[in-house]
Amino acid sequence: MSSPHPAPDRDDGLIARYAFARRVALAAAARGMAYYARRNSLAVQHKGDDLQDVVSIADQDVEAFIRAELAAHFPEDGIVGEEGGSAGLQARCIWVIDPIDGTACFLNGLHNWCVSIGLLVDGQPLLGAIADPNHDELFHGFIGHGAFVNDTPLAAHGAGNVREGLVGVGTTHRAGKENFLPFIGALLEQGGMFLRNGSGALMTAYVAAGRLIGYYETHLKSWDCLAGLVLVREAGARHNEFLRGDGLLGGNPYLVAAPGVYEQLAAMVGPSLDAD
């Protein structure tokens, strides 16, 4: 297996893919903003029986745009997308994309949504870009090369206790939701406070940026966090073994946090965090 940490002067197409991820994330976010401006007229569908899990024509069109760009520039690469499924998973490079992370926020006029594009190389998160057009922010990173918001380097919070900052949280109606309230209770008991903004990609980016000291989700999908995991690692934060088992396609419980509070938060989550 090749190293997931390429030397800065190594030219095997990864630098080009990093530039591609940033460019396409911005272009896709601009495309999403055009839909956002007329969101009240968009057709919306519900996924399965979960009325909170929604998809719009905006999600579908933005993902189709990203897939077309990938097909034109890196046709040999695999892809995992929220709306279009997976293909080419035997490839060395696999793109993991969420065209609009935070669709419910998007459809309800809230600014907590983004485009997330990450890349796995030899099974490891190597680079990613998260474009937030509502705040003109592009979070991006490349393992071994740093992580940034626009041109500003990211660094995890220096907190040593959960009392020293905010913790992002989230849950769904999928299995694992029973762990949510016990975690909130433990967090409050130890003097912490929480928020939920509806976008796993953005809350992960905020941990990397030091805006949040941690983020826990009872069950997350890879397209919500693959790009963000790169930012977290490069910013000096920690994360659980999210990709274990069927994590890439099926998802897993998820925790990212500043190094000084990771163990404290992991203890609040308990054994469900890395259970198979």
Side-chain angles (χ1 to χ4, degrees), residues 50-53 171-177 218:
D50 187 348
L51 296 182
Q52 298 299 315
D53 198 359
T171 192
T172 67
H173 294 107
R174 294 188 291 269
K177 60 185 179 293
T218 58

Side-chain angles (χ1 to χ4, degrees), residues 10-35:
R10 178 176 169 183
D11 183 10
D12 53 6
L14 299 180
I15 298 295
R17 284 174 171 83
Y18 184 33
F20 171 89
R22 288 174 286 166
R23 175 182 67 79
V24 172
L26 287 171
R31 199 176 187 96
M33 278 297 282
Y35 282 106

Side-chain angles (χ1 to χ4, degrees), residues 165-253:
L166 293 171
V167 176
V169 297
T171 192
T172 67
H173 294 107
R174 294 188 291 269
K177 60 185 179 293
E178 66 277 5
N179 299 309
F180 185 68
L181 290 180
F183 174 81
I184 294 295
L187 180 65
L188 294 175
E189 183 67 25
Q190 296 185 42
M193 186 47 68
F194 63 91
L195 64 84
R196 181 179 190 271
N197 77 358
S199 169
L202 284 178
M203 285 194 283
T204 300
Y206 293 165
V207 172
R211 301 175 188 178
L212 296 175
I213 61 174
Y215 164 41
Y216 167 58
E217 184 90 21
T218 58
H219 189 276
L220 200 64
K221 293 298 183 69
S222 64
W223 44 80
D224 296 317
C225 65
L226 197 286
L229 285 172
V230 175
L231 309 179
V232 164
R233 288 173 60 180
E234 285 297 289
R238 294 178 57 186
H239 62 83
N240 71 314
E241 294 298 323
F242 174 77
L243 288 173
R244 73 188 185 281
D246 191 38
L248 178 60
L249 298 181
N252 269 316

Side-chain angles (χ1 to χ4, degrees), residues 56-82:
S56 73
I57 187 64
D59 300 77
Q60 295 166 345
D61 179 73
V62 172
E63 181 162 323
F65 165 76
I66 297 171
R67 285 176 178 267
E69 289 289 308
L70 284 170
H73 293 87
F74 303 107
E76 69 277 19
D77 292 357
I79 186 168
V80 175
E82 179 174 15

Side-chain angles (χ1 to χ4, degrees), residues 1 7 26 28 54 69 108 120 128 131-132 134 143 163 179 188 194 199 202 204 209 271 273 276:
M1 179 178 293
L26 287 171
V54 292
E69 289 289 308
N108 285 286
L120 282 173
D132 175 1
N134 287 289
I143 293 296
R163 296 189 300 270
N179 299 309
L188 294 175
F194 63 91
S199 169
L202 284 178
T204 300
L273 183 60
D276 292 326

Side-chain angles (χ1 to χ4, degrees), residues 50-186:
D50 187 348
L51 296 182
Q52 298 299 315
D53 198 359
V54 292
V55 60
S56 73
I57 187 64
D59 300 77
Q60 295 166 345
D61 179 73
V62 172
E63 181 162 323
F65 165 76
I66 297 171
R67 285 176 178 267
E69 289 289 308
L70 284 170
H73 293 87
F74 303 107
E76 69 277 19
D77 292 357
I79 186 168
V80 175
E82 179 174 15
E83 309 306 334
S86 61
L89 298 187
Q90 77 286 351
R92 179 185 180 227
C93 295
I94 300 173
W95 297 90
V96 184
I97 61 175
D98 193 339
I100 297 179
D101 181 45
T103 299
C105 296
F106 178 99
L107 293 172
N108 285 286
L110 299 171
H111 292 351
N112 304 323
W113 62 271
C114 63
V115 174
S116 179
I117 301 177
L119 182 68
L120 282 173
V121 179
D122 297 326
Q124 296 294 325
L126 194 86
L127 62 86
I130 298 171
D132 175 1
N134 287 289
H135 300 98
D136 294 319
E137 291 187 324
L138 176 67
F139 298 89
H140 58 96
F142 185 178
I143 293 296
H145 297 248
F148 307 85
V149 54
N150 298 332
D151 296 322
T152 302
L154 301 181
H157 200 287
N161 189 283
V162 295
R163 296 189 300 270
E164 299 175 40
L166 293 171
V167 176
V169 297
T171 192
T172 67
H173 294 107
R174 294 188 291 269
K177 60 185 179 293
E178 66 277 5
N179 299 309
F180 185 68
L181 290 180
F183 174 81
I184 294 295

